[in-house]
Amino acid sequence: MIRRTTIGIFGPANSGKSTLVNCLTAQQVSIVSPVAGTTTDPVSRTMEINGVGPCVFIDTPGYDDTSALGNMRVSRTKDELRKCDIAIFVIPSFLEGGQLAKAWKWLEMIRAQVPQTIVVTNDFGSGGIYKGSIRVNALTGEGREPLLEAIGFSHSKVQDSMGIVTHLVKPGDTVLLVMPVDTQAPAGRLILPQVQTIRELLDYGCSALCCTTEQMTATLAKLAKTPDLIVTDSQAFAYVFQNRPANVPLTSFSVLFARWKGDISVFIEGAKHLSTLQAGSRVLIAEACTHAPLSEDIGREKIPALIHKKISPQITFDIASGNDFQCDKGYDLIIHCGACMIGRQQMLSRIAMAKEAGVPITNYGVAIAYFNNILDKIVW
């Protein structure tokens, strides 16, 4: 279960990637021409695929762009690869010799990062069909349906069967969701993690009971029996932990997403490094989405204030939002948001980047649980 499937289209310049995107989406999304290097920046298009759901196709520049800005474009192409749940690698049927060898090298690199990679031979009417590939003529649409079927099969492999919360409950259980309504809460709606958690509970046959922090004790008093699980916003961890009925398991939306979207064991280990921070340490606050920060923003204000108060006011914080995530060895810790707006593959890629740089990484909810001394008392 993921919010949407990101599918990247990769291959050499003038291999028909843009034509293939137009073919798949049945719309003129990307500009096409016989001139190599027509696509100079990644182009995204959203569509719905039957049996798959909402998808985002990313048309990327050719990896062999030799223009003045070629290196920058290739770098952007590699950045897009980190976002992908599925990759489609396009090889024109006329490729041979050194160009073909370079293509196979790129394919190997792509497969190492995106296990669900589909190889497409874009058949322009000449040349051979490469072994293990799907033959498609992007100009005529021939081969479109088999490719869509392959995307559906890859999507079934991408689907995370763990679920968000169902590993903690059984059908018929009652789950209390404590959701603060403050300046950060979007007007007139719930945030995505809350919506997804509620929907999964309902699909699983559980009763999902919602209340605000202020309503929690009154809501509990109305219940004939205690709930089987309480899920709260991480910012309310301390209050909910202290006021919950004894022995009722407790977790947070952010902690659940740390497991569902990333690697909970890595985040828990990363939280232990909070105790090693000191004056002069550098911490990166990483947000998956780009948003206009409000007062009392959890990542930009509350967590830094908490660390300044409990450890040292001389700790420096940097903010990386949206696609600006970069990790260098100068950081002592990365604290990442719940990643509700990116896919699991992209979150795992960020964890890998942190590991490569030798920087520990944790998650908002896990960090807050650690500071409240309840990390060993909550469930995930």
Side-chain angles (χ1 to χ4, degrees):
M1 178 181 177
I2 56 177
R3 188 177 63 87
R4 62 183 181 180
T5 302
T6 301
I7 305 170
I9 316 291
F10 303 90
N14 218 31
S15 60
K17 299 185 298 298
S18 298
T19 307
L20 183 64
V21 172
N22 291 343
C23 173
L24 286 169
T25 61
Q27 297 182 43
Q28 294 299 309
V29 177
S30 300
I31 298 174
V32 298
S33 84
V35 179
T38 299
T39 301
T40 57
D41 292 291
V43 176
S44 298
R45 178 65 182 178
T46 302
M47 72 172 289
E48 188 94 8
I49 296 179
N50 185 34
V52 175
C55 300
V56 177
F57 286 96
I58 304 176
D59 182 13
T60 64
Y63 60 70
D64 53 351
D65 189 332
T66 57
S67 67
L69 297 176
N71 288 336
M72 293 177 62
R73 289 169 181 160
V74 170
S75 178
R76 284 289 304 277
T77 294
K78 290 181 177 179
D79 288 342
E80 296 302 310
L81 182 61
R82 297 190 183 101
K83 303 177 183 177
C84 295
D85 302 297
I86 299 171
I88 297 177
F89 188 72
V90 183
I91 308 179
S93 56
F94 52 75
L95 216 59
E96 58 184 17
Q99 291 180 321
L100 186 57
K102 186 174 183 179
W104 295 140
K105 186 175 180 179
W106 260 79
L107 176 59
E108 183 179 355
M109 183 271 290
I110 290 172
R111 276 178 168 159
Q113 294 192 51
V114 186
Q116 295 305 317
T117 296
I118 303 167
V119 182
V120 169
T121 298
N122 199 6
D123 182 14
F124 293 108
S126 61
I129 305 302
Y130 301 110
K131 184 178 180 180
S133 68
I134 298 174
R135 178 184 177 275
V136 176
N137 186 322
L139 289 172
T140 66
E142 183 181 0
R144 180 178 185 268
E145 291 306 315
L147 178 53
L148 288 173
E149 290 177 6
I151 291 172
F153 178 78
S154 294
H155 175 262
S156 69
K157 297 289 186 180
V158 172
Q159 289 284 68
D160 186 356
S161 60
M162 293 190 303
I164 301 170
V165 68
T166 48
H167 62 291
L168 297 176
V169 293
K170 62 184 183 299
D173 281 354
T174 297
V175 180
L176 179 64
L177 300 116
V178 183
M179 302 182 295
V181 177
D182 53 20
T183 57
Q184 294 185 73
R189 62 184 176 88
L190 301 175
I191 61 174
L192 187 61
Q194 296 169 350
V195 173
Q196 289 181 304
T197 303
I198 292 170
R199 176 56 192 266
E200 185 175 286
L201 287 169
L202 296 177
D203 287 342
Y204 198 57
C206 294
S207 296
L209 183 61
C210 305
C211 68
T212 64
T213 312
E214 295 77 13
Q215 297 168 331
M216 176 183 160
T217 55
T219 302
L220 286 168
K222 295 175 182 177
L223 296 179
K225 62 182 289 291
T226 57
D228 300 286
L229 175 69
I230 297 177
V231 184
T232 186
D233 187 283
S234 297
Q235 299 176 71
F237 250 151
Y239 177 85
V240 176
F241 180 78
Q242 292 170 5
N243 291 277
R244 84 194 197 289
N247 301 320
V248 174
L250 171 67
T251 190
S252 78
F253 297 102
S254 185
V255 170
L256 290 175
F257 270 62
R259 172 186 174 274
W260 187 52
K261 285 290 185 76
D263 188 328
I264 186 66
S265 62
V266 169
F267 289 142
I268 290 172
E269 188 63 31
K272 297 176 183 177
H273 288 267
L274 287 162
S275 63
T276 68
L277 298 179
Q278 56 188 336
S281 293
R282 291 182 63 210
V283 176
L284 177 66
I285 301 293
E287 303 168 338
C289 63
T290 301
H291 67 280
L294 301 173
S295 61
E296 301 182 350
D297 187 272
I298 183 171
R300 297 174 183 241
E301 293 189 17
K302 289 189 175 181
I303 289 178
L306 186 62
I307 291 176
H308 282 156
K309 179 181 178 180
K310 289 184 173 288
I311 301 176
S312 169
Q314 277 78 49
I315 293 175
T316 302
F317 292 88
D318 291 334
I319 307 294
S321 61
N323 294 326
D324 294 335
F325 182 85
Q326 295 294 331
C327 180
D328 63 57
K329 297 179 180 180
Y331 289 111
D332 297 286
L333 181 66
I334 300 169
I335 306 179
H336 205 287
C337 71
C340 63
M341 297 304 293
I342 60 177
R344 177 174 170 80
Q345 184 64 35
Q346 189 172 357
M347 187 65 243
L348 291 175
S349 175
R350 293 185 173 195
I351 292 174
M353 291 170 66
K355 183 177 180 180
E356 185 177 348
V359 181
I361 182 170
T362 190
N363 155 283
Y364 284 9
V366 176
I368 292 173
Y370 177 88
F371 274 126
N372 283 292
N373 297 314
I374 61 172
L375 185 54
D376 61 338
K377 299 178 181 67
I378 62 173
V379 294
W380 52 79

